[in-house]
Amino acid sequence: MTHLPPPAEELRLLDTELRQLDARRAQLLTRRAWLVAALQQTRQPRPWASSQPPVTVSPRPETAAPSVQNLLLVLGGVLLTLAAAVFTLVSWGQMGIAGRALVLGAVTLATLAAPVALLKRGLRSTAESVAGLGLALTVLDAYALHAAALSGTDGTGYAAAASAVLAATWSAYGLLPVMSALRLPLPSALAAAQFPLLLSALAADASPYTITAALLVTAGLDAVAVARSAAGAVRITAVVGAYGMGGWGVLGAGWLSLTAGGPGEASRAGALLLLAAAIALGAAWRGPGVGHALGLALTAGLLVVAALGGVARSGLPSEWVVPAHLTVGVALLAAVRAGRLPDATRTGFAWASGSVQALAVLWTLPVVAVVLLGPAGWLGQLWSGAPSDARTAVLVEAPWPADAVAAPVVLVGVAAVLALAVRGQVWRPRARLGALGLLWATALILPAVLEIPYAAGLLVLGVMTAAALFACRVTVSAAQVTALVLALVTAVGLTLVSLASQPATLVVLSGLTVLFAAASWRAGVAPFTAPAALVYAAALASASGAAADWPAARTALLVLLVPAAAALLAPRLGASRATVPVEAVGAALGLFAVALAVTDPPMLALVLALCGVIAAGTALRAERRAVGYAATALFVLAAWVRLAAWDVGTPEAYTLPVTLPALLVGALRRRRDPQASSWTAYGPGLAATLVPSLVAAWADPLWTRPLLLGVAALLVTLLGARHHLGAPLVLGGSVLALVTLHELAPYVVQVTGALPRWAPPALAGLLLLALGATYEQRIRDVRRVREVLGRLN
């Protein structure tokens, strides 16, 4: 059996072992500190103990050797080129013709032949630099030849011929087998090849069409070079040349098309644009590895539209120019359907067609904006008389856009394309919604474009609103939202147009109220249509009051019928998403009714009271108890406005109607919750009357108000003491003390005046001495009073 010592003996053994462990731990910590200090000393440098010389670190080179080599070679080539130029320009005239030819020929040939030997020795960078010098010398040779022997020739023509010869020479030089390693000759030849055609056209004093054609042909040759060259400097040079010369040529052709004075000039400009389109299309189609195929195809499609549209523009009236361009843009979709074209080309044509259609739709926006926003001018000319036609109804202050007659054609054409041409499963629903919006815009502007009668225009807008609301019955969310937005926008436009005539306004507002109320049966759109129905009902009430020549204050009573209807409708909606919007619009319309009655105080009091009744009815619902505070505030405001209308200036007349209900509510709360604080239950009600009355009593020279206020404060204090309530006791006692002080103030002043001037400071000093002597006791008394007040409920 295991021997177990007694607890006292075991405790002694444990204490002994713990002391031994502490001693061993202290010894180990001391050894550790010594070892750390020794290691730190060995890491510190000691110059007197070092026997090896210090290691020197060579500085890191800031520039690599190849960079230095290239810089030196380029700098040497530039200096030699400058020297050759100075020799050609300055020292040329001091030698004969034979000497000149001998020197230039020998130097040029030697320079161009030197890279062969350099390449054999593996000095490629040096060979590249010398070759660049040789190419520069050929340019100087050309200049020297013109200055010495051909000075009588035309400079532009000679430059064209020289650039062609230089391009051919540099190309031949770069294509030699021994020179295949050089990268400079071929890009230089391609750069020189950009100028022969352009300079030749300028030398021949050609027309702008010929100059533009020279630019485009050069760009086409660059595109061919891009297609036939591999990646490298040649390809980059060709791409830059193609985009530069082609862009310049397209700008020139576009300007010629815009400024064409007749079909002939427009046709020639169109041919140039078609040439540019063919170049772009060929580069997008045939160019291997071209990463900009989509952009080039898009550009080609736009150029085709600009070419054919420009020709059509020269022979059509101005209003049909945009439809002509749109027709060509839509025709591009036929190329999209062709299966032989690459995918990038087809996509580019599709984007080009879409861009043209989008620009055409943007062209119609001023007409749509005038039809929608123009009737807002009737707000300043309300019921001034029905206009003669629908166009006059929208042109109150805005001018009619030029060429608006073709806007419906453009909108219908784009809508047809969206509805029929888009076949993708993802884009087809969106395209149909876009087509619906465009057809709606067409129907919106068509009455003004055709100048139909005013009543017929109103009927068209009303039918559009009803149709859009009926379309909200669909279950697809995107289509439902689209139809709802179109209905709301059309209804606003119809309302603005109807403001020109009083009967039209009343009929339109009545119809819109019925339409939106009927559409509110659909739960999906009820959060929007139900508030809209309330707004139009309030507008109808206001218009009815104005039609009956009622003042605005009396019209407010009609408007209040709408918030009352909203308050009755909200409980029936229950948990519907339309409940909160209906209540919010009802509250806003109640404020609108108050604003209408603000100029007539008696009517304002009645309106506020009726708003309070509506709010109180709403507060009867369990989830709207908080509205009861608003109802109370409205009733109080109604009473105050009524008293102000009666010229009542007594503050108690304003405060007692607040105090009595507040005390009653506080008593009911205390009965339901005995633990409720008296400050919460009775504090606001008592303060609402006692504080204003106290302020009035201090400014009242008579004795009646202070006496009544003092009696009331005494009763409140006694009730607080009787029932151990803190709020009545503190508020009543404080008011009673202040009223007493106010009443005794004249006598205090008299006594103070009778005393010597040294008496008040002396009394204050004695008081401070007494307080200091019994400071600790006073602290205990204050704490005891605080505890007593804290225990009061």
Side-chain angles (χ1 to χ4, degrees):
M1 296 178 62
T2 304
H3 173 70
L4 296 176
E9 182 66 18
E10 185 178 3
L11 180 61
R12 186 184 63 78
L13 294 175
L14 291 176
D15 291 338
T16 303
E17 291 181 3
L18 289 174
R19 284 194 296 271
Q20 293 176 357
L21 290 175
D22 291 338
R24 180 58 177 167
R25 184 174 185 275
Q27 181 182 1
L28 294 176
L29 289 175
T30 303
R31 180 62 179 175
R32 180 182 182 278
W34 183 87
L35 292 173
V36 170
L39 290 175
Q40 290 179 353
Q41 291 179 0
T42 57
R43 292 177 180 176
Q44 293 178 356
R46 292 183 293 178
W48 60 85
S50 177
S51 59
Q52 297 180 357
V55 179
T56 58
V57 180
S58 60
R60 181 182 178 182
E62 297 181 358
T63 306
S67 300
V68 175
Q69 174 188 348
N70 294 333
L71 177 61
L72 294 177
L73 291 175
V74 171
L75 183 59
V78 170
L79 292 177
L80 289 175
T81 303
L82 293 177
V86 171
F87 170 77
T88 304
L89 297 175
V90 177
S91 302
W92 181 260
Q94 300 176 3
M95 300 178 63
I97 295 178
R100 300 172 187 175
L102 181 61
V103 171
L104 281 178
V107 172
T108 303
L109 291 176
T111 305
L112 292 176
V116 177
L118 294 174
L119 288 174
K120 290 181 179 181
R121 294 179 177 272
L123 303 176
R124 178 177 175 181
S125 298
T126 306
E128 199 80 50
S129 179
V130 174
L133 176 61
L135 298 181
L137 288 176
T138 56
V139 177
L140 294 176
D141 290 342
Y143 170 76
L145 180 61
H146 178 268
L150 302 175
S151 59
T153 60
D154 178 59
T156 306
Y158 179 80
S163 59
V165 172
L166 289 176
T169 304
W170 292 349
S171 298
Y173 180 72
L175 293 175
L176 291 175
V178 293
M179 299 296 181
S180 59
L182 298 178
R183 293 177 295 179
L184 187 60
L186 291 181
S188 301
L190 192 57
Q194 307 299 313
F195 303 103
L197 293 179
L198 175 62
L199 294 177
S200 299
L202 294 176
D205 199 12
S207 65
Y209 296 94
T210 305
I211 296 174
T212 305
L215 292 172
L216 293 176
V217 170
T218 304
L221 296 176
D222 289 332
V224 173
V226 171
R228 293 183 175 276
S229 59
V234 176
R235 184 184 180 86
I236 294 175
T237 306
V239 169
V240 172
Y243 278 109
M245 304 300 283
W248 194 3
V250 167
L251 290 177
W255 176 256
L256 293 174
S257 179
L258 289 175
T259 57
E265 295 180 357
S267 299
R268 283 185 287 174
L272 293 175
L273 291 173
L274 289 177
L275 175 60
I279 295 171
L281 183 59
W285 193 357
R286 297 296 184 183
V290 177
H292 306 284
L294 178 61
L296 291 172
L298 170 62
T299 304
L302 293 177
L303 290 175
V304 170
V305 174
L308 301 180
V311 175
R313 181 176 60 250
S314 62
L316 291 175
S318 60
E319 61 268 17
W320 297 107
V321 171
V322 174
H325 286 79
L326 178 62
T327 302
V328 180
V330 173
L332 285 178
L333 295 176
V336 176
R337 298 295 180 187
R340 298 182 179 180
L341 295 177
D343 292 339
T345 303
R346 296 171 59 192
T347 305
F349 278 1
W351 279 103
S353 178
S355 301
V356 173
Q357 296 176 55
L359 292 174
V361 172
L362 289 177
W363 176 77
T364 64
L365 287 184
V367 184
V368 179
V370 168
V371 173
L372 278 178
L373 304 178
W378 292 114
L379 293 173
Q381 305 177 25
L382 193 63
W383 295 350
S384 58
S388 60
D389 53 64
R391 181 179 296 184
T392 308
V394 301
L395 297 181
V396 183
E397 296 177 354
W400 183 247
D403 304 332
V405 66
V409 178
V410 171
L411 292 174
V412 171
V414 177
V417 172
L418 291 177
L420 301 176
V422 180
R423 302 291 179 86
Q425 294 181 356
V426 178
W427 288 98
R428 185 168 179 78
R430 303 175 185 177
R432 287 184 174 180
L433 291 180
L436 177 63
L438 294 176
L439 291 178
W440 168 82
T442 304
L444 183 68
I445 67 175
L446 200 58
V449 173
L450 299 179
E451 298 183 83
I452 64 176
Y454 174 68
L458 292 176
L459 181 61
V460 170
L461 293 177
V463 171
M464 289 174 60
T465 305
L469 289 175
F470 181 79
C472 292
R473 297 169 59 88
V474 297
T475 58
V476 181
S477 59
Q480 192 178 72
V481 170
T482 303
L484 178 62
V485 171
L486 295 181
L488 293 174
V489 174
T490 309
V492 172
L494 175 59
T495 303
L496 293 176
V497 173
S498 68
L499 296 179
S501 172
Q502 183 185 104
T505 301
L506 297 176
V507 172
V508 166
L509 292 177
S510 302
L512 291 177
T513 303
V514 173
L515 286 176
F516 280 97
S520 300
W521 290 103
R522 297 289 302 175
V525 296
F528 304 95
T529 56
L534 294 177
V535 171
Y536 284 113
L540 177 61
S542 302
S544 300
D549 291 332
W550 285 7
R554 186 182 298 180
T555 305
L557 297 177
L558 284 178
V559 176
L560 275 181
L561 295 176
V562 181
L568 294 175
L569 177 63
R572 297 180 179 273
L573 295 175
S576 173
R577 294 188 297 115
T579 303
V580 175
V582 166
E583 291 177 336
V585 172
L589 293 177
L591 293 178
F592 175 66
V594 171
L596 289 177
V598 74
T599 57
D600 189 350
M603 188 61 68
L604 177 61
L606 177 59
V607 170
L608 288 171
L610 294 176
C611 290
V613 172
I614 297 173
T618 303
L620 294 177
R621 296 160 53 193
E623 67 275 12
R624 294 291 185 266
R625 297 297 187 194
V627 184
Y629 297 104
T632 303
L634 289 171
F635 284 131
V636 171
L637 287 176
W640 287 356
V641 172
R642 184 72 264 181
L643 291 174
W646 287 338
D647 296 330
V648 175
T650 304
E652 289 76 13
Y654 295 89
T655 58
L656 286 177
V658 179
T659 297
L660 296 178
L663 293 178
L664 179 60
V665 172
L668 293 176
R669 180 173 181 181
R670 288 273 300 173
R671 177 174 296 181
R672 294 181 179 180
D673 184 12
Q675 299 300 325
S677 174
S678 63
W679 288 100
T680 304
Y682 303 118
L686 292 175
T689 293
L690 292 178
V691 174
S693 297
L694 179 63
V695 175
W698 273 67
D700 193 349
L702 301 179
W703 59 271
T704 307
R705 187 188 303 276
L707 177 61
L708 295 177
L709 180 59
V711 172
L714 178 60
L715 292 176
V716 170
T717 305
L718 294 176
L719 289 174
R722 171 68 178 79
H723 297 283
H724 302 281
L725 300 176
L729 183 60
V730 174
L731 290 176
S734 301
V735 172
L736 180 60
L738 292 175
V739 171
T740 303
L741 178 63
H742 174 265
E743 293 302 315
L744 296 178
Y747 302 102
V748 173
V749 172
Q750 293 178 4
V751 172
T752 304
L755 292 175
R757 293 184 179 272
W758 54 267
L763 294 175
L766 291 175
L767 178 62
L768 293 176
L769 290 176
L771 291 175
T774 60
Y775 180 74
E776 185 176 0
Q777 181 64 34
R778 299 286 78 75
I779 291 178
R780 288 197 297 267
D781 294 341
V782 170
R783 290 176 178 174
R784 189 177 298 109
V785 171
R786 186 178 62 185
E787 293 175 357
V788 171
L789 292 177
R791 288 195 298 269
L792 290 176
N793 194 355

